[in-house]
Amino acid sequence: QVQLVESGGGLVQPGGSLRLSCAASESSVIFYTMYWYRQAPGKQRDLVAAVTRGGSTNYVESVKGRFTISRDNAQNTVYLQMNSLKSEDTAVYYCKAETSARVYWGQGTQVTVSS
């Protein structure tokens, strides 16, 4: 059972930056595709970004050029660097680890973008 723990959320002004971290309890996550999702109040949980075991990345259109997903396999950690934050980025951000056979979710971290 892999445990994922997100951190790094908080309150930031529009235009600011945050870096989210997702720490995994096991090194086996190096074989997983890792994702960041977000869920705003009253809305569904949506994919934000993904990084494969080989390091290939994908982003939802609304965050391209502003967010960067990366992984440090030696630290069993995935990051989401968020720049030029907007009010519409406000949400709970969740980390997900996935293979063809297993899916694990973290508990989420709140990101609030407000002046």
Side-chain angles (χ1 to χ4, degrees):
Q1 182 80 6
V2 175
Q3 294 184 341
L4 303 174
V5 179
E6 299 98 333
S7 61
L11 173 64
V12 63
Q13 292 186 343
S17 298
L18 284 175
R19 189 176 81 153
L20 306 183
S21 299
C22 171
S25 59
E26 297 182 11
S27 60
S28 59
V29 295
I30 66 172
F31 300 111
Y32 289 62
T33 296
M34 302 295 295
Y35 302 84
W36 284 100
Y37 281 73
R38 65 186 178 188
Q39 187 168 19
K43 295 188 177 181
Q44 66 182 21
R45 191 174 297 187
D46 291 326
L47 176 65
V48 175
V51 58
T52 67
R53 55 184 289 184
S56 297
T57 59
N58 279 292
Y59 301 91
V60 67
E61 192 65 34
S62 61
V63 308
K64 284 182 179 178
R66 300 189 298 122
F67 290 10
T68 302
I69 188 172
S70 61
R71 64 191 301 163
D72 183 341
N73 289 334
Q75 299 294 324
N76 303 331
T77 301
V78 176
Y79 303 98
L80 186 67
Q81 177 66 43
M82 304 186 297
N83 299 328
S84 302
L85 282 161
K86 305 175 181 180
S87 58
E88 52 262 44
D89 295 317
T90 295
V92 178
Y93 284 70
Y94 296 90
C95 176
K96 184 177 83 170
E98 182 176 289
T99 66
S100 59
R102 292 180 171 84
V103 177
Y104 300 101
W105 288 92
Q107 84 291 346
T109 185
Q110 176 70 47
V111 172
T112 302
V113 184
S114 175
S115 55

